[in-house]
DNA sequence: AACTACGGTTTGGTATACCAGATTTAATAT
DNA sequence: ATATTAAATCTGGTATACCAAACCGTAGTT
């Protein structure tokens, strides 16, 4: 029934694409917090069956974007400024822990690689290349994850970062934080090179963002609308 | 086909139970790392259809117990001592972060509640009541999660703790750590009452377990078999 | 004998049908 | 008129059937 959109042979699980699309709509506010996500309606809307829709909803549930209730429709979670700030706070906790591990465990070669990423970034900042900055920024953090020598920690961090990426990009653009971010990276790198894990952790926590200030900022945004 | 085991009206999603059962078998080594998990075979074995089996496998995938490969059977991940130690290390990172937040944010009433849980534990330890200790131990940590004032952090911690619970119980039993654990709780509580977040965090990290010593211990276990 | 090509088998991905819990609505009794 | 309950309906949970991709084995060619 209902024409298959693409021969069904997309090479990638259908559910993943559906999840991303729904995620985008939730973030964009097309689907609002509290809205019910009826499996049949969604299936009809996307021209697929309920099975991949259920899959997609489970994924969004894991990502805490929606709430799955037994025998009830799933509903979109309210993503308030506070909620978001809490997620960033957890990210800052994990990142600072990672950098603390990294400062203790990175070898000389890894530290040099981190430094080279950092120095490469300098030119990008001067040029005001936002996309380039995003890319190198990610590399800088990822080099630290690797340096922490804990693959599970790395997975958790990458997952959380991916989840928060859209919001972070939005924040960074609004704040035009490129230069400051680069300076903060310098402090972190310096602490790592000195082998001072605790200082690196503190700097990282500050870097990911002061949660209190974040809440203030986002609330302003909310009322501004 | 195949007789329904219990009228199907268990009030709880079938998949959850299946996931727990498979999890236990993986932990117990009945299903070994590298083994393929065929959906049809599992469905037949448990007397259910493939649908809840798939659900269960997804859950185990999220928990990193198995690896889901597109168009291939899922296989059991190798859960080495190092892997486990890495997860415990992440737990220690999150716990110490939580207790640091809690030390800054708990109000007087919350601190008193934490202390009362701690003091109630003392009698249990003297009596050598392991189950009672497990329960109060969980309450102690949960009171700290709540005190951290970050529901998202609490969710993450409870999830990770649930995942690691079987291993932790096993470790605690083997090590007979009840009394030492209680003493460590005392140190943490003291730091919280003094409002010294950093010290509380350090103590917590030590409490969850020294990852290096954990690896040593578990490797001994492995060769002992 | 070794390599390639083809066909069958296995197995995950998707669609559809049915069941049971939950909600809503309407009818009946007080 | 209100409250209580029963029937209809909505919706998620489960079962089954079909499709296509990946794997495996065999046969045919060089």
């Amino acid at each position: 029934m209902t024409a298959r959109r693409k021969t069904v042979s997309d090479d990638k699980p259908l559910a993943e694409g559906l999840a991303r699309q729904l995620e985008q709509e939730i973030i964009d506010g097309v689907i609002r917090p509290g809205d019910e996500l009826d499996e049949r309606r969604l299936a009809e809307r996307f021209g697929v069956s309920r099975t991949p829709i259920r899959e997609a909803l489970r994924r969004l549930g894991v990502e805490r974007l929606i709430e799955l209730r037994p025998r009830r429709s799933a509903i979109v979670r309210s993503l308030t400024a506070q909620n978001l700030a809490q997620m960033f706070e957890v990210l800052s906790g994990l990142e600072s822990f990672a950098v603390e591990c990294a400062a203790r465990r990175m070898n000389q070669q890894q530290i040099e690689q981190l430094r080279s990423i950092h120095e490469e970034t300098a030119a990008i900042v001067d040029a005001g290349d936002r996309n380039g900055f995003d890319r190198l920024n990610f590399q800088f953090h990822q080099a630290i994850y690797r340096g922490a020598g804990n693959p599970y920690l790395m997975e958790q961090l990458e997952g959380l970062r991916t989840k928060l990426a859209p919001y972070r990009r939005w924040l960074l653009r609004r704040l035009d934080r490129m230069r400051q971010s680069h300076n903060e990276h310098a402090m972190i790198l310096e602490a790592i090179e000195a082998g001072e894990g605790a200082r690196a952790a503190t700097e990282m926590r500050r870097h990911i963002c002061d949660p209190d200030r974040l809440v203030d900022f986002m609330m302003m945004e909310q009322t501004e609308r």
Side-chain angles (χ1 to χ4, degrees), chain A:
Chain A
M1 70 115 358
T2 98
R4 292 187 181 72
R5 327 237 114 200
K6 344 178 178 175
T7 55
V8 153
S9 57
D10 293 284
D11 91 302
K12 277 299 160 195
L14 231 185
E16 178 60 25
L18 294 170
R20 292 289 150 265
Q21 199 159 342
L22 285 170
E23 173 185 290
Q24 197 55 50
E25 292 188 2
I26 291 171
I27 291 172
D28 291 345
V30 178
I31 309 177
R32 298 207 148 263
D35 283 359
E36 297 196 348
L37 297 168
D38 180 78
E39 298 183 354
R40 280 174 172 74
R41 253 184 273 287
L42 289 173
E44 188 178 2
R45 200 190 121 196
F46 287 108
V48 299
S49 90
R50 275 177 60 208
T51 311
I53 293 288
R54 300 192 95 234
E55 268 270 350
L57 292 184
R58 301 300 164 147
R59 294 186 191 220
L60 295 176
V62 170
E63 295 177 17
R64 305 289 168 189
L65 270 171
I66 67 176
E67 186 185 340
L68 300 161
R69 304 171 300 178
R71 301 275 177 188
R72 302 281 304 277
S73 299
I75 59 174
V76 178
R77 284 204 166 190
S78 46
L79 243 208
T80 65
Q82 256 141 17
N83 262 313
L84 211 45
Q86 286 161 4
M87 291 173 79
F88 272 101
E89 187 176 63
V90 172
L91 180 64
S92 81
L94 279 173
E95 291 259 2
S96 67
F97 181 62
V99 83
E100 198 172 344
C101 293
R104 276 187 286 121
R105 296 177 189 160
M106 279 175 111
N107 60 36
Q108 206 50 44
Q109 192 204 334
Q110 287 176 307
I111 292 178
E112 275 164 23
Q113 193 183 349
L114 188 64
R115 167 157 289 283
S116 91
I117 292 170
H118 178 64
E119 285 172 354
E120 194 182 334
T121 309
I124 298 269
V125 170
D126 288 337
D129 174 5
R130 283 173 144 73
N131 287 335
F133 179 77
D134 280 357
R135 192 171 41 79
L136 282 170
N137 180 48
F138 180 68
Q139 280 180 27
F140 184 85
H141 284 272
Q142 198 162 37
I144 291 174
Y145 303 163
R146 248 195 308 278
N150 184 330
Y152 182 73
L153 176 58
M154 189 160 127
E155 273 177 24
Q156 296 292 111
L157 274 164
E158 284 180 344
L160 192 49
R161 246 173 175 259
T162 304
K163 228 182 297 182
L164 288 171
Y167 304 107
R168 190 177 47 246
R169 248 194 305 280
W170 178 62
L171 278 176
L172 288 180
R173 301 261 146 104
R174 300 282 290 169
L175 290 169
D176 198 13
R177 260 174 53 92
M178 272 206 308
R179 180 152 259 117
Q180 191 187 340
S181 181
H182 185 247
N183 289 338
E184 289 166 2
H185 279 192
M187 307 281 280
I188 292 164
L189 177 58
E190 196 180 304
I192 290 176
E193 287 174 331
E196 297 176 29
R199 200 177 102 221
T202 304
E203 293 296 340
M204 178 61 87
R205 215 169 285 181
R206 229 193 297 276
H207 171 58
I208 295 301
C209 75
D210 181 329
D212 301 322
R213 230 181 307 167
L214 180 65
V215 171
D216 288 350
F217 174 75
M218 298 199 62
M219 282 183 156
M220 277 170 45
E221 282 300 305
Q222 200 130 9
T223 59
E224 177 187 296
R225 276 185 189 169

